[in-house]
Amino acid sequence: MQPSDLEDCLEAILLKIQDNNVPFTAEELAQAVPGAPAGATLVASLERAGYVRRGPDGTYTLTPAGRTLGERIVRKHRTLECFFTEMLGMDAETASEEACRLEHEISDETISRLSEYIENPPRPCVRYGWRHAFRPQECMQPATVLDFSEGSRLKVLLVGSPGANRRLIDLGVIPGAVLEIRRRLRNGSVVVKVKGCDVALSPEIARCIHVEPFG
């Protein structure tokens, strides 16, 4: 298998299988990577590379090296996806496909620079896009996460919190992502479900996530 194939497997393990460090089977890995070779072939390649280890019950877990590389690929993918959707205005599906192609080649330094740029962007204009970022009188302010009740499903339009953008990207809160409001807490915080995980957002952060109803 090519290094990029192994990286795709590690990314799938982190995003689709092992959110809570639960051991996985070869069959589960094969289901998480469409079009890949049989599960036994996948885990054998990962085991030879030192990225997974087999337990006495026949299930597998990531090694520290496998988790480190997988997290690097996930961060690259989400940073690229965010840049393409929020800065270039690409639709979420195309952005994800492009991110999948580039995540294996782009350097960590470039990703860090992109992340810094995303954290300190020009002020966005939702109605006219980034080229009109300095015409606030013509911009239409969208709703935020705080404007919706429990059970609402929302699509992220943009994230306007420079100080928190990097953390939100790591959590999958990027333009095009779909959130579900799980709970509203007494202190004003909001618990949302994104990418299969529950994430608690402070009122300050939730107020900066611009959304629209989804579904």
Side-chain angles (χ1 to χ4, degrees):
M1 295 180 67
Q2 297 296 317
S4 59
D5 296 325
L6 296 178
E7 291 172 353
D8 284 337
C9 290
L10 294 173
E11 185 178 12
I13 291 169
L14 284 174
L15 294 179
K16 300 179 181 180
I17 300 176
Q18 216 178 10
D19 287 334
N20 298 310
N21 295 321
V22 177
F24 58 92
T25 65
E27 291 73 22
E28 288 174 327
L29 177 57
Q31 292 174 3
V33 188
T41 301
L42 291 178
V43 293
S45 298
L46 290 169
E47 193 171 14
R48 282 195 300 271
Y51 295 143
V52 301
R53 64 168 61 94
R54 180 185 173 95
D57 60 352
T59 60
Y60 295 85
T61 55
L62 287 173
T63 64
R67 178 166 292 277
T68 297
L69 179 56
E71 289 175 348
R72 280 180 58 206
I73 296 301
V74 169
R75 179 169 182 258
K76 286 182 177 184
H77 182 100
R78 287 179 171 168
T79 301
L80 288 166
E81 196 174 35
C82 184
F83 181 79
F84 292 149
T85 54
E86 189 163 338
M87 301 298 177
L88 303 186
M90 296 168 64
D91 65 86
E93 182 177 356
T94 302
S96 181
E97 292 173 354
E98 291 295 324
C100 283
R101 281 191 281 269
L102 292 174
E103 65 192 15
H104 306 294
E105 303 296 335
I106 195 167
S107 69
D108 291 326
E109 180 181 357
T110 301
I111 286 296
S112 294
R113 288 179 178 270
L114 282 177
S115 183
E116 289 172 4
Y117 183 79
I118 293 170
E119 285 188 9
N120 298 280
R123 186 167 53 184
C125 173
V126 175
R127 176 178 292 173
Y128 295 104
W130 289 94
R131 292 184 181 180
H132 299 269
F134 302 103
R135 294 165 61 181
Q137 70 278 8
E138 298 180 357
C139 293
M140 178 177 61
Q141 187 71 9
T144 73
V145 170
L146 292 180
D147 296 319
F148 293 87
S149 59
E150 293 181 0
S152 298
R153 299 189 73 220
L154 310 169
K155 181 179 179 180
V156 178
L157 297 176
L158 62 88
V159 178
S161 175
N165 271 11
R166 180 173 298 179
R167 176 59 177 159
L168 291 174
I169 289 171
D170 290 341
L171 294 172
V173 182
I174 60 176
V178 176
L179 313 177
E180 179 184 346
I181 297 181
R182 302 296 295 272
R183 295 189 302 279
R184 302 291 298 264
L185 306 181
R186 290 184 178 181
N187 64 359
S189 297
V190 182
V191 178
V192 301
K193 183 177 182 180
V194 57
K195 304 287 187 181
C197 299
D198 284 353
V199 178
L201 304 173
S202 69
E204 294 76 18
I205 298 300
R207 189 177 295 112
C208 296
I209 301 173
H210 303 297
V211 296
E212 65 181 6
F214 179 82

